[in-house]
Amino acid sequence: MAKKSAPKINIGIDEKDRKKIADGLSHLLADTYTLYLKTHNFHWNVTGPMFNTLHLMFETQYTELSLAVDLVAERIRSLGVFAPGSYADFAKLTVIKEAKGVPDATEMIEQLVLGHEAVARTARGIFSLADSAEDEATADLLTQRIQLHEKTAWMLRSLLQ
């Protein structure tokens, strides 16, 4: 019996727009995953007088980021594009810089502020593509991601003031 091919994707967004949006989401996925790794690393290695507070805060943050990675990757797949999924792919796509060594707690917080703001910028940069293609599902995902990353950056920054 011959294998049937799946029907073409017809969700109301043309293929060219789906590809452009998915490319942007691939950058968001890479940024989110890289920030997840950095946050998890800091959770394991934080020391100092704020240890318990930061250890728990970082755990909450990396847990949320791990869930977000799945949402972003599944949106890419919903658009008919394969999601990147290797360290090599993410390293090419992300703007988040890896930590050198084990920074002190204050430097960890500063790096995470910068990371969350970078992810918010990446998400915001895709928004006009999604909006012009009338891709409400991606726009909704981006709005949620922007809101969360801006709030997390604010909360982390408040620890430095």
Side-chain angles (χ1 to χ4, degrees), residues 36-52:
Y36 159 79
L37 285 174
K38 180 179 266 193
T39 306
H40 210 152
N41 173 22
F42 291 171
H43 164 78
W44 290 326
N45 292 304
V46 68
T47 59
M50 292 181 56
F51 167 80
N52 195 52

Side-chain angles (χ1 to χ4, degrees), residues 49-69:
M50 292 181 56
F51 167 80
N52 195 52
T53 299
L54 292 177
H55 185 74
L56 294 173
M57 178 184 273
F58 294 164
E59 181 175 12
T60 299
Q61 291 172 4
Y62 79 68
T63 300
E64 193 286 326
L65 288 164
S66 74
L67 296 172
V69 164

Side-chain angles (χ1 to χ4, degrees), residues 29-30 33-34 37 83-93:
L29 178 61
Y33 194 83
T34 304
L37 285 174
S86 71
Y87 291 128
D89 289 341
F90 292 153
K92 289 179 199 167
L93 294 168

